[in-house]
Amino acid sequence: MKFLEETIIQLNVEVKDAEEAIDAAGQLLLKDQLIQPSYIEAMKQAYKKNGPYFVLAPQIAIPHARPEDGVNEAAVSLVQLKEPISFGHAINDPVRLVFGLGAASSAEHLSLLRKLTSLLNDPQNIEQLLQATTIDEIQKTIGMER
C-alpha cells in the first residue's frame, strides 16, 4: 500500500479542466505501475456518468474507480493544482487538491479512505497541503497523521 509517497505527489500542476486533473492524479499512479491505464479511463468515465460525487469537501476531490478497472496495488496520489478547477459541485467547488485513489479490494478502499479522512479532518492539514511549495512540506504534514 502506497499512501502519498514522494513519487506519487505533484505540486503546482496546471490543468484546464476536471478531466485533466483526474488524468494527472492517475498518471502518478500509472508511472509507479500501481494501476493500469484502464483505471484512469474508468475514473474519467465515472466522473462523466455520475458527476462530481467524489468532491467530498471544499477544495478536495478523490477520484477513483472500481478495483476490477485495473488496480495493481492500493495507493493514493496527490496533485496540488496551481489554479482551482471547477468539477461542477454546487457546494465544494473549486478544487485544488486531487487525491487519486486506487484500491484492489473493499477492505483496502476503506483503509485508504480512513487514512485520508484522518489527514483531511484537520483544517490545518488541508491549509498546509494547499500552501506547500515542496514535497518535503507535504511529507511533514502527512507524517503528522501516520
Side-chain angles (χ1 to χ4, degrees):
M1 185 178 300
K2 294 194 177 195
F3 184 77
L4 301 174
E5 293 178 13
E6 187 173 341
T7 59
I8 52 176
I9 296 172
Q10 197 171 9
L11 303 178
N12 209 27
V13 175
E14 291 189 48
V15 298
K16 69 176 188 291
D17 59 26
E19 274 196 55
E20 273 191 19
I22 294 168
D23 192 62
Q27 288 299 326
L28 291 173
L29 297 172
L30 183 63
K31 175 178 58 83
D32 275 14
Q33 300 178 351
L34 301 166
I35 60 166
Q36 300 294 318
S38 58
Y39 193 77
I40 297 172
E41 206 44 53
M43 286 194 295
K44 289 192 228 174
Q45 288 304 318
Y47 171 61
K48 285 179 189 170
K49 182 180 176 189
N50 304 315
Y53 68 96
F54 53 77
V55 180
L56 301 179
Q59 303 193 76
I60 297 170
I62 307 174
H64 55 281
R66 303 187 55 76
E68 61 268 22
D69 290 326
V71 176
N72 297 333
E73 182 180 340
V76 176
S77 64
L78 168 61
V79 173
Q80 177 208 65
L81 301 176
K82 183 174 184 173
E83 297 294 329
I85 293 291
S86 173
F87 277 73
H89 194 283
I91 300 165
N92 295 327
D93 267 347
V95 168
R96 274 205 59 224
L97 299 173
V98 182
F99 295 90
L101 188 148
S105 70
S106 294
E108 285 179 347
H109 185 87
L110 291 174
S111 176
L112 288 172
L113 277 179
R114 255 194 304 279
K115 287 178 86 155
L116 204 47
T117 301
S118 174
L119 175 68
L120 299 175
N121 270 344
D122 184 340
Q124 187 175 346
N125 287 346
I126 295 170
E127 194 55 35
Q128 287 172 344
L129 294 174
L130 288 166
Q131 300 304 321
T133 57
T134 67
I135 290 183
D136 271 354
E137 291 173 41
I138 297 279
Q139 295 280 273
K140 283 184 183 134
T141 301
I142 295 162
M144 293 174 197
E145 294 301 315
R146 286 192 175 165

